[in-house]
Every structure is written in structure tokens, then in C-alpha cells.
mmCIF file of all heavy atoms in Angstrom:
data_model
loop_
_atom_site.group_PDB
_atom_site.id
_atom_site.type_symbol
_atom_site.label_atom_id
_atom_site.label_comp_id
_atom_site.label_asym_id
_atom_site.label_seq_id
_atom_site.Cartn_x
_atom_site.Cartn_y
_atom_site.Cartn_z
ATOM 1 N N PHE A 227 -1.736 -3.864 4.637
ATOM 2 C CA PHE A 227 -0.665 -3.574 5.467
ATOM 3 C C PHE A 227 0.260 -4.702 5.418
ATOM 4 O O PHE A 227 -0.123 -5.885 5.126
ATOM 5 C CB PHE A 227 -1.135 -3.291 6.910
ATOM 6 C CG PHE A 227 -1.706 -4.468 7.617
ATOM 7 C CD1 PHE A 227 -0.864 -5.320 8.334
ATOM 8 C CD2 PHE A 227 -3.021 -4.775 7.538
ATOM 9 C CE1 PHE A 227 -1.431 -6.397 9.048
ATOM 10 C CE2 PHE A 227 -3.564 -5.848 8.229
ATOM 11 C CZ PHE A 227 -2.796 -6.687 8.968
ATOM 12 N N GLY A 228 1.551 -4.454 5.766
ATOM 13 C CA GLY A 228 2.508 -5.510 5.888
ATOM 14 C C GLY A 228 3.295 -5.135 7.155
ATOM 15 O O GLY A 228 2.695 -4.974 8.232
ATOM 16 N N ARG A 229 4.576 -5.056 7.118
ATOM 17 C CA ARG A 229 5.376 -4.634 8.227
ATOM 18 C C ARG A 229 5.018 -3.286 8.749
ATOM 19 O O ARG A 229 5.171 -2.966 9.890
ATOM 20 C CB ARG A 229 6.873 -4.638 7.938
ATOM 21 C CG ARG A 229 7.463 -6.020 8.047
ATOM 22 C CD ARG A 229 8.977 -5.851 7.964
ATOM 23 N NE ARG A 229 9.480 -6.968 7.327
ATOM 24 C CZ ARG A 229 10.702 -7.010 6.756
ATOM 25 N NH1 ARG A 229 11.433 -5.982 6.692
ATOM 26 N NH2 ARG A 229 11.087 -8.079 6.221
ATOM 27 N N GLN A 230 4.539 -2.419 7.780
ATOM 28 C CA GLN A 230 4.211 -1.043 8.131
ATOM 29 C C GLN A 230 3.085 -0.993 9.166
ATOM 30 O O GLN A 230 2.860 -0.020 9.867
ATOM 31 C CB GLN A 230 3.760 -0.296 6.891
ATOM 32 C CG GLN A 230 3.658 1.131 6.990
ATOM 33 C CD GLN A 230 3.309 1.787 5.664
ATOM 34 O OE1 GLN A 230 3.026 1.129 4.631
ATOM 35 N NE2 GLN A 230 3.448 3.083 5.538
ATOM 36 N N LYS A 231 2.318 -2.081 9.183
ATOM 37 C CA LYS A 231 1.125 -2.145 10.109
ATOM 38 C C LYS A 231 0.189 -1.009 9.802
ATOM 39 O O LYS A 231 0.034 -0.576 8.657
ATOM 40 C CB LYS A 231 1.509 -2.253 11.593
ATOM 41 C CG LYS A 231 2.504 -3.338 11.888
ATOM 42 C CD LYS A 231 1.807 -4.556 12.343
ATOM 43 C CE LYS A 231 2.746 -5.639 12.912
ATOM 44 N NZ LYS A 231 3.714 -6.181 12.044
ATOM 45 N N GLY A 232 -0.390 -0.444 10.769
ATOM 46 C CA GLY A 232 -1.206 0.704 10.617
ATOM 47 C C GLY A 232 -0.608 1.886 11.294
ATOM 48 O O GLY A 232 0.614 1.840 11.686
ATOM 49 N N HIS A 233 -1.300 2.904 11.508
ATOM 50 C CA HIS A 233 -0.802 4.060 12.234
ATOM 51 C C HIS A 233 -1.936 4.761 12.927
ATOM 52 O O HIS A 233 -3.128 4.585 12.593
ATOM 53 C CB HIS A 233 0.007 4.996 11.289
ATOM 54 C CG HIS A 233 -0.851 5.660 10.307
ATOM 55 N ND1 HIS A 233 -1.038 4.989 9.058
ATOM 56 C CD2 HIS A 233 -1.463 6.827 10.156
ATOM 57 C CE1 HIS A 233 -1.769 5.756 8.334
ATOM 58 N NE2 HIS A 233 -1.975 6.904 8.923
ATOM 59 N N THR A 234 -1.651 5.689 13.841
ATOM 60 C CA THR A 234 -2.700 6.401 14.613
ATOM 61 C C THR A 234 -2.739 7.861 14.015
ATOM 62 O O THR A 234 -1.709 8.408 13.739
ATOM 63 C CB THR A 234 -2.293 6.412 16.024
ATOM 64 O OG1 THR A 234 -2.155 5.135 16.540
ATOM 65 C CG2 THR A 234 -3.374 7.119 16.863
ATOM 66 N N GLU A 235 -3.954 8.302 13.847
ATOM 67 C CA GLU A 235 -4.151 9.676 13.328
ATOM 68 C C GLU A 235 -5.142 10.438 14.304
ATOM 69 O O GLU A 235 -5.920 9.792 15.120
ATOM 70 C CB GLU A 235 -4.799 9.748 11.890
ATOM 71 C CG GLU A 235 -3.821 9.227 10.894
ATOM 72 C CD GLU A 235 -4.364 9.381 9.456
ATOM 73 O OE1 GLU A 235 -5.464 10.052 9.315
ATOM 74 O OE2 GLU A 235 -3.659 8.982 8.515
ATOM 75 N N LEU A 236 -4.966 11.738 14.326
ATOM 76 C CA LEU A 236 -5.846 12.519 15.089
ATOM 77 C C LEU A 236 -6.797 13.307 14.228
ATOM 78 O O LEU A 236 -6.450 13.900 13.249
ATOM 79 C CB LEU A 236 -4.906 13.535 15.820
ATOM 80 C CG LEU A 236 -5.471 14.288 16.999
ATOM 81 C CD1 LEU A 236 -5.902 13.324 18.100
ATOM 82 C CD2 LEU A 236 -4.469 15.307 17.611
ATOM 83 N N TYR A 237 -8.108 13.276 14.541
ATOM 84 C CA TYR A 237 -9.115 13.910 13.774
ATOM 85 C C TYR A 237 -10.112 14.572 14.778
ATOM 86 O O TYR A 237 -10.725 13.917 15.505
ATOM 87 C CB TYR A 237 -9.838 12.883 12.858
ATOM 88 C CG TYR A 237 -10.957 13.553 12.018
ATOM 89 C CD1 TYR A 237 -10.673 14.392 10.953
ATOM 90 C CD2 TYR A 237 -12.295 13.273 12.295
ATOM 91 C CE1 TYR A 237 -11.684 14.948 10.221
ATOM 92 C CE2 TYR A 237 -13.295 13.848 11.556
ATOM 93 C CZ TYR A 237 -12.970 14.644 10.544
ATOM 94 O OH TYR A 237 -13.953 15.282 9.771
ATOM 95 N N ARG A 238 -10.146 15.920 14.662
ATOM 96 C CA ARG A 238 -11.081 16.689 15.508
ATOM 97 C C ARG A 238 -10.840 16.302 16.999
ATOM 98 O O ARG A 238 -11.796 16.067 17.723
ATOM 99 C CB ARG A 238 -12.548 16.455 15.063
ATOM 100 C CG ARG A 238 -12.805 17.109 13.779
ATOM 101 C CD ARG A 238 -14.267 17.135 13.515
ATOM 102 N NE ARG A 238 -14.531 17.687 12.202
ATOM 103 C CZ ARG A 238 -15.701 17.856 11.674
ATOM 104 N NH1 ARG A 238 -16.804 17.415 12.372
ATOM 105 N NH2 ARG A 238 -15.909 18.496 10.523
ATOM 106 N N GLY A 239 -9.626 16.186 17.370
ATOM 107 C CA GLY A 239 -9.325 15.919 18.761
ATOM 108 C C GLY A 239 -9.425 14.458 19.179
ATOM 109 O O GLY A 239 -9.111 14.063 20.302
ATOM 110 N N ALA A 240 -9.931 13.623 18.331
ATOM 111 C CA ALA A 240 -10.069 12.155 18.624
ATOM 112 C C ALA A 240 -8.974 11.353 17.921
ATOM 113 O O ALA A 240 -8.721 11.601 16.745
ATOM 114 C CB ALA A 240 -11.491 11.671 18.269
ATOM 115 N N GLU A 241 -8.377 10.429 18.619
ATOM 116 C CA GLU A 241 -7.407 9.596 17.981
ATOM 117 C C GLU A 241 -8.003 8.371 17.495
ATOM 118 O O GLU A 241 -8.889 7.754 18.154
ATOM 119 C CB GLU A 241 -6.413 9.196 19.198
ATOM 120 C CG GLU A 241 -5.010 8.902 18.628
ATOM 121 C CD GLU A 241 -3.998 8.711 19.772
ATOM 122 O OE1 GLU A 241 -4.057 7.603 20.324
ATOM 123 O OE2 GLU A 241 -3.316 9.667 20.092
ATOM 124 N N TYR A 242 -7.663 7.863 16.302
ATOM 125 C CA TYR A 242 -8.140 6.652 15.792
ATOM 126 C C TYR A 242 -7.057 5.926 14.985
ATOM 127 O O TYR A 242 -6.088 6.526 14.578
ATOM 128 C CB TYR A 242 -9.388 6.843 14.922
ATOM 129 C CG TYR A 242 -9.167 7.629 13.662
ATOM 130 C CD1 TYR A 242 -9.051 6.946 12.486
ATOM 131 C CD2 TYR A 242 -9.059 9.036 13.595
ATOM 132 C CE1 TYR A 242 -8.808 7.609 11.283
ATOM 133 C CE2 TYR A 242 -8.866 9.773 12.494
ATOM 134 C CZ TYR A 242 -8.720 9.044 11.302
ATOM 135 O OH TYR A 242 -8.506 9.674 10.117
ATOM 136 N N VAL A 243 -7.204 4.609 14.911
ATOM 137 C CA VAL A 243 -6.189 3.782 14.284
ATOM 138 C C VAL A 243 -6.608 3.497 12.838
ATOM 139 O O VAL A 243 -7.729 3.078 12.555
ATOM 140 C CB VAL A 243 -6.010 2.479 15.056
ATOM 141 C CG1 VAL A 243 -5.108 1.501 14.286
ATOM 142 C CG2 VAL A 243 -5.658 2.707 16.478
ATOM 143 N N VAL A 244 -5.652 3.733 11.945
ATOM 144 C CA VAL A 244 -5.881 3.356 10.558
ATOM 145 C C VAL A 244 -5.108 1.985 10.344
ATOM 146 O O VAL A 244 -3.919 1.974 10.359
ATOM 147 C CB VAL A 244 -5.227 4.477 9.648
ATOM 148 C CG1 VAL A 244 -5.361 4.033 8.146
ATOM 149 C CG2 VAL A 244 -5.898 5.770 9.861
ATOM 150 N N ASP A 245 -5.927 0.923 10.160
ATOM 151 C CA ASP A 245 -5.311 -0.396 10.089
ATOM 152 C C ASP A 245 -4.877 -0.665 8.729
ATOM 153 O O ASP A 245 -3.890 -1.402 8.511
ATOM 154 C CB ASP A 245 -6.391 -1.450 10.440
ATOM 155 C CG ASP A 245 -6.705 -1.453 11.939
ATOM 156 O OD1 ASP A 245 -5.819 -1.093 12.743
ATOM 157 O OD2 ASP A 245 -7.855 -1.734 12.300
ATOM 158 N N PHE A 246 -5.489 -0.153 7.674
ATOM 159 C CA PHE A 246 -5.150 -0.431 6.309
ATOM 160 C C PHE A 246 -4.627 0.779 5.640
ATOM 161 O O PHE A 246 -5.291 1.846 5.594
ATOM 162 C CB PHE A 246 -6.378 -1.007 5.537
ATOM 163 C CG PHE A 246 -6.789 -2.394 6.136
ATOM 164 C CD1 PHE A 246 -7.928 -2.431 6.929
ATOM 165 C CD2 PHE A 246 -6.134 -3.537 5.776
ATOM 166 C CE1 PHE A 246 -8.302 -3.621 7.487
ATOM 167 C CE2 PHE A 246 -6.546 -4.751 6.390
ATOM 168 C CZ PHE A 246 -7.647 -4.731 7.164
ATOM 169 N N ILE A 247 -3.523 0.640 4.974
ATOM 170 C CA ILE A 247 -2.821 1.767 4.303
ATOM 171 C C ILE A 247 -3.179 1.853 2.846
ATOM 172 O O ILE A 247 -3.166 0.825 2.230
ATOM 173 C CB ILE A 247 -1.314 1.623 4.482
ATOM 174 C CG1 ILE A 247 -0.886 1.354 5.942
ATOM 175 C CG2 ILE A 247 -0.551 2.833 3.884
ATOM 176 C CD1 ILE A 247 -1.201 2.470 6.945
ATOM 177 N N PRO A 248 -3.568 2.980 2.350
ATOM 178 C CA PRO A 248 -3.922 3.053 0.844
ATOM 179 C C PRO A 248 -2.668 2.766 0.003
ATOM 180 O O PRO A 248 -1.549 3.281 0.287
ATOM 181 C CB PRO A 248 -4.355 4.521 0.689
ATOM 182 C CG PRO A 248 -4.569 5.090 2.035
ATOM 183 C CD PRO A 248 -3.754 4.299 2.987
ATOM 184 N N LYS A 249 -2.833 1.949 -0.936
ATOM 185 C CA LYS A 249 -1.755 1.545 -1.878
ATOM 186 C C LYS A 249 -2.354 1.530 -3.311
ATOM 187 O O LYS A 249 -3.513 1.601 -3.482
ATOM 188 C CB LYS A 249 -1.180 0.200 -1.605
ATOM 189 C CG LYS A 249 -0.567 0.063 -0.169
ATOM 190 C CD LYS A 249 0.809 0.808 -0.072
ATOM 191 C CE LYS A 249 1.307 0.500 1.312
ATOM 192 N NZ LYS A 249 2.617 1.155 1.476
ATOM 193 N N ILE A 250 -1.429 1.338 -4.251
ATOM 194 C CA ILE A 250 -1.833 1.206 -5.728
ATOM 195 C C ILE A 250 -1.357 -0.109 -6.150
ATOM 196 O O ILE A 250 -0.142 -0.522 -5.861
ATOM 197 C CB ILE A 250 -1.220 2.213 -6.650
ATOM 198 C CG1 ILE A 250 -1.764 3.678 -6.252
ATOM 199 C CG2 ILE A 250 -1.450 1.962 -8.100
ATOM 200 C CD1 ILE A 250 -3.171 3.837 -6.617
ATOM 201 N N LYS A 251 -2.145 -0.910 -6.755
ATOM 202 C CA LYS A 251 -1.787 -2.224 -7.387
ATOM 203 C C LYS A 251 -1.679 -2.090 -8.867
ATOM 204 O O LYS A 251 -2.692 -1.713 -9.525
ATOM 205 C CB LYS A 251 -2.799 -3.317 -6.961
ATOM 206 C CG LYS A 251 -2.466 -4.693 -7.501
ATOM 207 C CD LYS A 251 -3.347 -5.648 -6.776
ATOM 208 C CE LYS A 251 -3.657 -6.815 -7.668
ATOM 209 N NZ LYS A 251 -4.538 -7.765 -6.987
ATOM 210 N N ILE A 252 -0.567 -2.384 -9.432
ATOM 211 C CA ILE A 252 -0.371 -2.386 -10.890
ATOM 212 C C ILE A 252 -0.258 -3.746 -11.377
ATOM 213 O O ILE A 252 0.473 -4.598 -10.801
ATOM 214 C CB ILE A 252 0.960 -1.604 -11.269
ATOM 215 C CG1 ILE A 252 0.990 -0.200 -10.674
ATOM 216 C CG2 ILE A 252 1.173 -1.661 -12.792
ATOM 217 C CD1 ILE A 252 2.287 0.464 -10.766
ATOM 218 N N GLU A 253 -1.050 -4.083 -12.354
ATOM 219 C CA GLU A 253 -1.026 -5.454 -12.913
ATOM 220 C C GLU A 253 -0.721 -5.370 -14.484
ATOM 221 O O GLU A 253 -1.348 -4.483 -15.158
ATOM 222 C CB GLU A 253 -2.362 -6.189 -12.791
ATOM 223 C CG GLU A 253 -2.771 -6.375 -11.364
ATOM 224 C CD GLU A 253 -4.154 -6.947 -11.162
ATOM 225 O OE1 GLU A 253 -5.119 -6.062 -11.173
ATOM 226 O OE2 GLU A 253 -4.299 -8.149 -11.151
ATOM 227 N N MET A 254 0.111 -6.205 -14.955
ATOM 228 C CA MET A 254 0.385 -6.217 -16.373
ATOM 229 C C MET A 254 0.872 -7.560 -16.850
ATOM 230 O O MET A 254 1.443 -8.289 -16.015
ATOM 231 C CB MET A 254 1.449 -5.126 -16.704
ATOM 232 C CG MET A 254 2.737 -5.345 -16.191
ATOM 233 S SD MET A 254 3.849 -3.915 -16.258
ATOM 234 C CE MET A 254 3.380 -3.238 -14.624
ATOM 235 N N ILE A 255 0.558 -7.929 -18.073
ATOM 236 C CA ILE A 255 0.996 -9.143 -18.698
ATOM 237 C C ILE A 255 2.181 -8.715 -19.654
ATOM 238 O O ILE A 255 1.921 -7.855 -20.507
ATOM 239 C CB ILE A 255 -0.024 -9.908 -19.434
ATOM 240 C CG1 ILE A 255 -1.256 -10.125 -18.571
ATOM 241 C CG2 ILE A 255 0.465 -11.269 -19.971
ATOM 242 C CD1 ILE A 255 -0.978 -10.982 -17.231
ATOM 243 N N ILE A 256 3.347 -9.338 -19.539
ATOM 244 C CA ILE A 256 4.425 -8.922 -20.383
ATOM 245 C C ILE A 256 5.107 -10.161 -20.918
ATOM 246 O O ILE A 256 4.964 -11.292 -20.425
ATOM 247 C CB ILE A 256 5.501 -8.068 -19.612
ATOM 248 C CG1 ILE A 256 6.062 -8.896 -18.384
ATOM 249 C CG2 ILE A 256 4.845 -6.775 -19.110
ATOM 250 C CD1 ILE A 256 7.158 -8.220 -17.778
ATOM 251 N N SER A 257 5.919 -9.916 -22.024
ATOM 252 C CA SER A 257 6.687 -11.064 -22.577
ATOM 253 C C SER A 257 7.850 -11.327 -21.675
ATOM 254 O O SER A 257 8.375 -10.509 -20.951
ATOM 255 C CB SER A 257 7.148 -10.719 -23.968
ATOM 256 O OG SER A 257 7.967 -9.550 -24.005
ATOM 257 N N ASP A 258 8.403 -12.555 -21.743
ATOM 258 C CA ASP A 258 9.416 -12.973 -20.828
ATOM 259 C C ASP A 258 10.725 -12.087 -21.027
ATOM 260 O O ASP A 258 11.369 -11.865 -20.036
ATOM 261 C CB ASP A 258 9.795 -14.469 -21.155
ATOM 262 C CG ASP A 258 8.706 -15.445 -20.658
ATOM 263 O OD1 ASP A 258 7.977 -15.050 -19.770
ATOM 264 O OD2 ASP A 258 8.778 -16.569 -21.275
ATOM 265 N N ASP A 259 10.970 -11.645 -22.223
ATOM 266 C CA ASP A 259 12.230 -10.856 -22.489
ATOM 267 C C ASP A 259 12.100 -9.473 -21.783
ATOM 268 O O ASP A 259 13.153 -8.867 -21.565
ATOM 269 C CB ASP A 259 12.528 -10.791 -23.947
ATOM 270 C CG ASP A 259 11.400 -10.111 -24.750
ATOM 271 O OD1 ASP A 259 10.230 -10.260 -24.394
ATOM 272 O OD2 ASP A 259 11.713 -9.451 -25.771
ATOM 273 N N LEU A 260 10.945 -8.988 -21.413
ATOM 274 C CA LEU A 260 10.844 -7.692 -20.755
ATOM 275 C C LEU A 260 10.859 -7.877 -19.184
ATOM 276 O O LEU A 260 10.831 -6.786 -18.539
ATOM 277 C CB LEU A 260 9.565 -6.987 -21.131
ATOM 278 C CG LEU A 260 9.615 -6.303 -22.554
ATOM 279 C CD1 LEU A 260 8.152 -5.796 -22.874
ATOM 280 C CD2 LEU A 260 10.599 -5.214 -22.548
ATOM 281 N N LEU A 261 10.784 -9.050 -18.717
ATOM 282 C CA LEU A 261 10.658 -9.224 -17.280
ATOM 283 C C LEU A 261 11.666 -8.554 -16.396
ATOM 284 O O LEU A 261 11.322 -7.764 -15.436
ATOM 285 C CB LEU A 261 10.584 -10.740 -16.938
ATOM 286 C CG LEU A 261 10.379 -11.076 -15.438
ATOM 287 C CD1 LEU A 261 8.993 -10.455 -14.941
ATOM 288 C CD2 LEU A 261 10.480 -12.510 -15.175
ATOM 289 N N LEU A 262 12.950 -8.834 -16.578
ATOM 290 C CA LEU A 262 13.974 -8.236 -15.749
ATOM 291 C C LEU A 262 13.937 -6.756 -15.824
ATOM 292 O O LEU A 262 14.096 -6.101 -14.712
ATOM 293 C CB LEU A 262 15.362 -8.815 -16.138
ATOM 294 C CG LEU A 262 15.574 -10.325 -15.900
ATOM 295 C CD1 LEU A 262 16.895 -10.781 -16.393
ATOM 296 C CD2 LEU A 262 15.316 -10.656 -14.459
ATOM 297 N N ASP A 263 13.864 -6.138 -16.976
ATOM 298 C CA ASP A 263 13.818 -4.729 -17.078
ATOM 299 C C ASP A 263 12.590 -4.101 -16.384
ATOM 300 O O ASP A 263 12.647 -3.061 -15.733
ATOM 301 C CB ASP A 263 13.853 -4.251 -18.539
ATOM 302 C CG ASP A 263 15.221 -4.480 -19.154
ATOM 303 O OD1 ASP A 263 16.188 -4.519 -18.433
ATOM 304 O OD2 ASP A 263 15.238 -4.572 -20.414
ATOM 305 N N THR A 264 11.476 -4.752 -16.574
ATOM 306 C CA THR A 264 10.246 -4.293 -15.845
ATOM 307 C C THR A 264 10.355 -4.286 -14.332
ATOM 308 O O THR A 264 10.065 -3.316 -13.717
ATOM 309 C CB THR A 264 9.024 -5.192 -16.373
ATOM 310 O OG1 THR A 264 8.855 -5.132 -17.732
ATOM 311 C CG2 THR A 264 7.715 -4.747 -15.699
ATOM 312 N N VAL A 265 10.826 -5.400 -13.790
ATOM 313 C CA VAL A 265 10.892 -5.555 -12.365
ATOM 314 C C VAL A 265 11.929 -4.515 -11.846
ATOM 315 O O VAL A 265 11.712 -3.805 -10.844
ATOM 316 C CB VAL A 265 11.346 -6.933 -11.982
ATOM 317 C CG1 VAL A 265 11.679 -7.011 -10.413
ATOM 318 C CG2 VAL A 265 10.180 -7.907 -12.221
#
């Protein structure tokens, strides 16, 4: 989480807090000349 923090969800009538949001992390090694286009 960042600024998004978590959020509250309702499951079977019970409210609970989701502190961590699912995300995808992409990692790659690239040559310097591709950096600006990649970002």
C-alpha cells in the first residue's frame, strides 16, 4: 500500500479491512538506450 492505504470490504455480512492491495511487480534489465522509452 501507499497513499491508497487499504479499504474496507463486506463478506457474508461482516466488514473487514484489507490493509495490503494486490499489485504486480515487473522487473527487467535493459540497456541504457531503451530506458526512456521503457519508462
Side-chain angles (χ1 to χ4, degrees):
F227 69 92
R229 274 194 216 158
Q230 192 177 10
K231 306 266 189 297
H233 63 276
T234 304
E235 290 189 5
L236 195 61
Y237 179 71
R238 293 188 177 181
E241 207 174 81
Y242 66 99
V243 176
V244 177
D245 291 328
F246 296 101
I247 310 297
K249 301 286 183 177
I250 295 292
K251 180 169 149 182
I252 303 170
E253 298 173 272
M254 65 196 89
I255 308 299
I256 59 169
S257 60
D258 290 338
D259 59 329
L260 284 175
L261 179 61
L262 294 178
D263 288 338
T264 300
V265 170

